Amino acid sequence: MRTILVNTGTELLLGDVQDAHLAFIAREIFPLGLRIDEQRTVPDSEAIGHTLAELFPRCEILFVTGGLGPTSDDITREMIADSLGLELCQDAQLLSSLRQRLQIRGIKWAAGIARQSDVPAGAQVLPNENGSAPGFYLKANINPRIPSSHVFVLPGPPRELQPMFRKYVMPILRSLVPPSALVERRLYRIAGVGESLVEEAIGKKILAIPGIELGYCARPGEVEVRIVGKAEAVEQADAIVRSTLGRSIFSTADETLEEVIVQLLTKRNQTLATAESCTGGLIANRITNVPGASKIFVAGYVCYANRAKTDMLDVDPKLIEAHGAVSEPVARALAEHARACAESDYAIATTGIAGPTGGSPEKPVGTVYVALASAPSETMAKRFFFPTDRETFKQLAAQAGFEMLRRKLLASS
Amino acid sequence: MRTILVNTGTELLLGDVQDAHLAFIAREIFPLGLRIDEQRTVPDSEAIGHTLAELFPRCEILFVTGGLGPTSDDITREMIADSLGLELCQDAQLLSSLRQRLQIRGIKWAAGIARQSDVPAGAQVLPNENGSAPGFYLKANINPRIPSSHVFVLPGPPRELQPMFRKYVMPILRSLVPPSALVERRLYRIAGVGESLVEEAIGKKILAIPGIELGYCARPGEVEVRIVGKAEAVEQADAIVRSTLGRSIFSTADETLEEVIVQLLTKRNQTLATAESCTGGLIANRITNVPGASKIFVAGYVCYANRAKTDMLDVDPKLIEAHGAVSEPVARALAEHARACAESDYAIATTGIAGPTGGSPEKPVGTVYVALASAPSETMAKRFFFPTDRETFKQLAAQAGFEMLRRKLLASS
């Protein structure tokens, strides 16, 4: 089925916002045997109408994103209705839930808001559980201008579009696609091994299996391996990946490293604390992004200034003077004292030079010590070198800390 | 001049790689009065040829990216030559510099590599100083099929395309554009006011100015207003936006709220600490993402467990018992004690229910108290209600804390 994605939004064409929909939708629909054959970005103008009119006869599935909000530049709803000659009808239920939503949040009602409850005649509403503008679905043949194309109109913000897509669009797509098209997809997330090494380990063996498609995606501190094909071939490939990469695989279920950590600690009824200098709260922030983190996370010490290392965690100023704040002894002391102060089972500590300034010949920008305290005599520390931008540096140091803890938990299980 | 960007690459349509060219090129060409009127992504197939043939007569400037490398799926060069009926000629100089490049890097010569020195007859080579595949420029009217369109063919990797664009493409574009086309763009970032209310305040007045384009973009806890037009009209609009929104505007220079906070505190030589319960380190993390944060950020207390509130910041357990951990008195105590412990000028504190569980009828999921301590007697606290997903909740609470501090700093300046 020929599938096209149209992203509307002048902000995309001005470079103020980067599109996230193409990658998201492409990955979601892949297991259905569907791929995006073409993607277009058009401004919030008459161009939406022209593009739709051109594409309706040229595809079986059309996704249109953005331009459903309350402001005057949000015109996708009207353009869809116009180009199909459908009337927009106010949906009383949508209107009342919209009023309720704003009331709960204490937001004042404004003139344009009600437009979000307008729906083209005959369209099926796709509820928006994370925002005010619902999406909608126009079945093929609802109108002579779309005899064979199914049209999905979706909100622009990814945090609204993505859950809506999974919950409401995917079931419709599944009903449209013949089961023979179905392929399987497996994901493996790996920490602590570079992309090239992962490929070297599994690439040739996997690609020797007929009908297998293999993909890699590198993110700071992790690699995702993706395998696609018919069930039998995928099983064969799965056995190779698991036997070759083993414990380096931290998830096969699209989980983050911090989600895995929270699960492992919850299962063992154990707790964690953090002492962060260079990562500045990122480790604590990532852990507390996970629902249920309160069961395992006790306290985070963001001891950014040297004074804070001494005041918060009683690190001996002489230790800092002798070795420098960015040193293995200080990393160890931070981890051990955080564990003791928080009375937690484990503590991760970081101290390093995120840059862009602050480096020296012995400790250039990108140097970081990561320590893990687990039992009084079992602290370990590692030196890493991540010469990159500030935010990626912080992510890489956080990943290193999480992976040290994960390996420790696996080893002692 | 009508401008179109075509990104080629099956990996983009599979979601394995996210496009960075649209945003980059859009921002580069904007000051020339040029904008991308449409963008398309097409796979590495015959679709490239069809799309080019369709677009040649429809634009004055056409950018084509990707598909110039040595592997079999790199076919853009051939598609361009085919669709214009131009021969591909091997450029002897390119070939020898290609050989040299590989030799220096110790890379073996492979069959497909020489293709990268093929250039369509009459094209101007755009040197690639960061990779092996050069780009090229086809002047309008070089061929009857492009009587009025200038075609720029550029390599796919951003780290190759971007320097090439700045050094070789921009000078050509400057020579093509009449000076009268130049337009201005202004951005305003606003915190603490919803998108609809911002539009209600300024929308009609701005749109009454002839030749002004107005756009909004909402992110968690902030709205960006974008105004585009000729210098005089933009000045008029600017006066309206500034007089209407005044101190709600936190940046006109594309800065984040945390960047503004770091600047304001640095200027005053003042310092900040944080006491985070429900935001779990996000505020500290965002502040320490800003280069130079070490000058103003002392310490962050991520007191997630109730015990940590008492142990780290000496919050009276009776206060927690009497009012609950999520309460105004506890938020105030956290802020005041963090400020005292860290000996900082200011401290932001948060305590709330991020969800998805843990709510009660009086304090449902989404309830948060944010406090700001500035002088012993000057602590303020506000209650907010952000019923949304966990990560957005944390972002909204962080924004609220930053905005309270920013307002305080403005009021006392």
Side-chain angles (χ1 to χ4, degrees), chain A residues 158-216:
Chain A
R159 54 171 287 278
E160 300 180 18
L161 179 141
Q162 294 181 4
M164 180 188 294
F165 199 93
R166 289 198 167 125
K167 190 158 175 188
Y168 299 105
V169 178
M170 284 298 283
I172 299 173
L173 291 175
R174 251 181 237 115
S175 74
L176 299 176
V177 169
S180 63
L182 294 181
V183 290
E184 275 199 40
R185 181 172 66 161
R186 298 274 168 92
L187 289 178
Y188 309 84
R189 289 207 179 170
I190 295 133
V193 189
E195 191 179 12
S196 306
L197 289 181
V198 170
E199 174 164 46
E200 208 166 77
I202 59 164
K204 275 193 191 159
K205 284 185 265 182
I206 300 287
L207 288 174
I209 304 168
I212 275 286
E213 203 168 324
L214 173 64
Y216 305 92

Side-chain angles (χ1 to χ4, degrees), chain A residues 15-16 18-19 27 39-41 54 71 105 159 226 280 284-285 288-289 298 300 302 305 307 342 390 394, chain B residues 15-16 18-19 27 39-41 54 185 226 280 284-285 288-289 300 302 305 307 342 387-388 390 392 394:
Chain A
D16 291 338
Q18 258 181 297
D19 168 58
R27 287 167 165 242
Q39 182 269 142
R40 297 195 187 183
T41 312
E54 183 189 332
T71 55
R105 285 165 176 72
R159 54 171 287 278
R226 200 173 52 250
N285 180 41
T288 60
N289 279 346
V298 184
V302 186
R307 176 157 59 79
R390 192 173 171 92
K394 288 173 72 179
Chain B
D16 290 340
Q18 259 182 296
D19 168 58
R27 286 169 169 243
Q39 182 269 142
R40 296 193 188 185
T41 312
E54 183 190 329
R185 177 170 68 163
R226 198 175 55 245
N285 182 40
T288 60
N289 278 346
V302 186
R307 175 157 61 80
T388 174
R390 195 173 168 93
T392 310
K394 288 173 71 179

Side-chain angles (χ1 to χ4, degrees), chain B residues 189 251 253-264 286-287 289-291:
Chain B
R189 289 206 180 170
S251 174
D254 217 0
E255 296 146 319
T256 61
L257 198 43
E258 53 269 33
E259 283 173 329
V260 172
I261 297 284
V262 171
Q263 280 165 28
L264 287 172
R286 283 179 55 178
I287 281 285
N289 278 346
V290 182

Side-chain angles (χ1 to χ4, degrees), chain A residues 41-272:
Chain A
T41 312
V42 294
D44 299 311
S45 72
E46 296 288 326
I48 300 175
H50 301 320
T51 300
L52 293 176
E54 183 189 332
L55 294 178
F56 283 145
R58 283 176 47 187
C59 58
E60 275 81 56
I61 296 175
L62 180 64
F63 300 111
V64 183
T65 72
L68 298 179
T71 55
S72 57
D73 56 348
D74 293 312
I75 56 171
T76 300
R77 193 181 286 103
E78 289 72 15
M79 286 286 168
I80 292 270
D82 270 11
S83 57
L84 290 176
L86 296 172
E87 284 214 33
L88 282 173
C89 313
Q90 192 165 68
D91 183 307
Q93 205 184 324
L94 280 178
L95 185 65
S96 88
S97 69
L98 202 55
R99 283 194 189 278
Q100 213 175 354
R101 189 185 153 82
L102 266 68
Q103 208 169 23
I104 290 170
R105 285 165 176 72
I107 301 170
K108 267 194 255 170
W109 188 262
I113 293 175
R115 284 176 54 227
Q116 293 174 103
S117 60
D118 290 348
V119 176
Q124 174 183 335
V125 170
L126 306 170
N128 187 342
E129 292 170 4
N130 300 279
S132 53
F136 48 91
Y137 163 52
L138 294 150
K139 211 180 161 72
N141 212 2
I142 196 175
N143 175 287
R145 284 174 225 177
I146 46 170
S148 61
S149 48
H150 297 270
V151 182
F152 296 86
V153 186
L154 305 164
R159 54 171 287 278
E160 300 180 18
L161 179 141
Q162 294 181 4
M164 180 188 294
F165 199 93
R166 289 198 167 125
K167 190 158 175 188
Y168 299 105
V169 178
M170 284 298 283
I172 299 173
L173 291 175
R174 251 181 237 115
S175 74
L176 299 176
V177 169
S180 63
L182 294 181
V183 290
E184 275 199 40
R185 181 172 66 161
R186 298 274 168 92
L187 289 178
Y188 309 84
R189 289 207 179 170
I190 295 133
V193 189
E195 191 179 12
S196 306
L197 289 181
V198 170
E199 174 164 46
E200 208 166 77
I202 59 164
K204 275 193 191 159
K205 284 185 265 182
I206 300 287
L207 288 174
I209 304 168
I212 275 286
E213 203 168 324
L214 173 64
Y216 305 92
C217 178
R219 301 200 190 86
E222 64 185 64
V223 177
E224 187 177 284
V225 172
R226 200 173 52 250
I227 282 171
V228 176
K230 297 279 174 189
E232 200 188 330
V234 163
E235 284 306 329
Q236 255 183 284
D238 180 76
I240 294 170
V241 175
R242 286 177 192 269
S243 67
T244 312
L245 296 170
R247 290 198 158 182
S248 299
I249 302 168
F250 69 82
S251 175
T252 54
D254 216 0
E255 298 147 317
T256 61
L257 198 42
E258 54 268 32
E259 283 172 329
V260 172
I261 297 283
V262 170
Q263 281 166 26
L264 288 171
L265 289 172
T266 304
K267 253 187 233 159
R268 296 154 161 263
N269 210 12
Q270 289 185 318
T271 56
L272 176 67

Side-chain angles (χ1 to χ4, degrees), chain A residues 7 10-24 26-27 30 35-44 47 51 54 58 69-74 101 104-105 107-113 116 130 157 159 213 215-217 226 271 274 276-295 297-305 307-308 311-312 341-344 355-356 390-391 394, chain B residues 7 10 12-24 26-27 30 35-43 47 51 54 58 185 187 195-197 199-200 207 213-220 224 226 228 254 271 274 276-295 297-305 307-308 311-312 341-344 354-356 385-392 394:
Chain A
N7 296 132
T10 302
E11 70 278 15
L12 292 162
L13 290 166
L14 287 173
D16 291 338
V17 175
Q18 258 181 297
D19 168 58
H21 300 326
L22 173 54
F24 172 79
R27 287 167 165 242
F30 195 91
R35 312 185 168 211
I36 309 233
D37 295 288
E38 187 182 334
Q39 182 269 142
R40 297 195 187 183
T41 312
V42 294
D44 299 311
T51 300
E54 183 189 332
R58 283 176 47 187
T71 55
S72 57
D73 56 348
D74 293 312
R101 189 185 153 82
I104 290 170
R105 285 165 176 72
I107 301 170
K108 267 194 255 170
W109 188 262
I113 293 175
Q116 293 174 103
N130 300 279
R159 54 171 287 278
E213 203 168 324
Y216 305 92
C217 178
R226 200 173 52 250
T271 56
T274 56
E276 303 185 62
S277 183
C278 62
T279 48
L282 173 63
I283 297 182
N285 180 41
R286 284 179 55 179
I287 281 284
T288 60
N289 279 346
V290 182
S294 56
K295 281 198 197 75
F297 188 65
V298 184
Y301 303 84
V302 186
C303 40
Y304 214 58
R307 176 157 59 79
D311 290 353
M312 293 173 105
C341 287
E343 296 172 39
S344 62
R390 192 173 171 92
E391 288 187 40
K394 288 173 72 179
Chain B
N7 296 133
T10 302
L12 292 163
L13 291 166
L14 286 174
D16 290 340
V17 175
Q18 259 182 296
D19 168 58
H21 300 326
L22 173 55
F24 172 79
R27 286 169 169 243
F30 194 90
R35 37 169 102 192
I36 313 252
D37 295 287
E38 187 181 335
Q39 182 269 142
R40 296 193 188 185
T41 312
V42 294
T51 300
E54 183 190 329
R58 281 175 49 185
R185 177 170 68 163
L187 289 178
E195 189 180 12
S196 303
L197 289 180
E199 172 164 51
E200 208 167 73
L207 288 174
E213 199 170 326
L214 173 63
Y216 306 90
C217 179
R219 301 197 190 89
E224 188 176 283
R226 198 175 55 245
V228 175
D254 217 0
T271 56
T274 56
E276 304 184 61
S277 183
C278 61
T279 49
L282 173 63
I283 298 182
N285 182 40
R286 283 179 55 178
I287 281 285
T288 60
N289 278 346
V290 182
S294 55
K295 283 200 195 74
F297 188 65
V298 184
Y301 304 83
V302 186
C303 39
Y304 214 56
R307 175 157 61 80
D311 291 351
M312 294 173 104
C341 289
E343 296 173 40
S344 62
F385 184 46
F386 303 130
T388 174
D389 64 284
R390 195 173 168 93
E391 289 187 39
T392 310
K394 288 173 71 179

